Amino acid sequence: GLAAGFSVGQALKGAVELDAKFKQLAFRMSVANQKTITAAQVQGLVEQAAAKSGRRTAELADAFDDLSAATGDMDFSSDVLESVGTAATATGKPIGTLVQLADQLHTKFGVAADEMGDAFAQVFEASTKGGPSLEEFSNVAGAMGAELLQAGLSGRRGLDFMLGSLVQTDDEM
């Protein structure tokens, strides 16, 4: 009796919090895009990404919120959400690590949403060949990515260059 009531209460609390999150995201997207976006549209987007990636809806709602706050780009965040979830499922890494990595790859290397899945795979593959872990890469990508952009190496070319040198550096240590 009491335990069942408690778990129903917890479920309701979670649903109310998630609904509030969708409304908050819809408001921010509406302001950013200067057109009305409903909470139901945001919920549909997040639920679809969750279903395709095997992640929980609440987890991806938080990831979407964190990613849009980090990048300042709601469209990019919505377009890349499924890739973030899929990569977290495939690698077993925390979703927060992939949110941070997506932010760095987008803002420092100019990796577009439709290229993010391949970029995640490239970074993960380098980590299995003696390169930095996803977490380590995410931490150094900001500084190195900015320098590579200054040198004219952006996008996948900059990423290739950086991963190549990091794998080599790791091998020499």
Side-chain angles (χ1 to χ4, degrees):
L2 185 61
F6 182 72
S7 63
V8 168
Q10 285 297 101
L12 282 173
K13 182 178 182 267
V16 168
E17 288 172 355
L18 194 54
D19 185 57
K21 171 78 76 178
F22 290 138
K23 287 177 180 166
Q24 176 189 35
L25 288 167
F27 175 77
R28 289 209 333 249
M29 284 184 82
S30 296
V31 170
N33 294 324
Q34 298 177 345
K35 65 182 178 197
T36 302
I37 295 164
T38 67
Q41 288 171 307
V42 174
Q43 183 177 353
L45 172 107
V46 173
E47 286 177 346
Q48 183 178 16
K52 289 183 176 178
S53 66
R55 306 306 290 191
R56 290 184 358 266
T57 301
E59 183 180 34
L60 283 188
D62 288 340
F64 182 57
D65 193 17
D66 294 345
L67 198 53
S68 58
T71 62
D73 188 338
M74 298 298 272
D75 289 334
F76 168 79
S77 300
S78 62
D79 292 345
V80 82
L81 192 59
E82 185 184 325
S83 291
V84 168
T86 301
T89 300
T91 63
K93 298 293 181 186
I95 201 126
T97 299
L98 286 136
V99 165
Q100 184 183 358
L101 186 57
D103 171 38
Q104 295 300 317
L105 290 170
H106 179 63
T107 57
K108 303 296 193 238
F109 290 91
V111 175
D114 62 346
E115 301 173 310
M116 196 58 68
D118 290 340
F120 281 153
Q122 189 178 356
V123 174
F124 185 69
E125 186 179 329
S127 76
T128 64
K129 292 182 177 173
S133 70
L134 293 182
E135 295 84 357
E136 291 167 334
F137 179 83
S138 189
N139 290 334
V140 298
M144 285 186 73
E147 289 179 25
L148 291 171
L149 274 175
Q150 290 282 321
L153 286 169
S154 64
R156 294 300 290 275
R157 278 185 52 231
L159 186 57
D160 288 343
F161 181 84
M162 182 173 165
L163 286 171
S165 36
L166 285 173
V167 169
Q168 227 173 357
T169 306
D170 251 27
D171 288 346
E172 293 166 6
M173 291 179 166

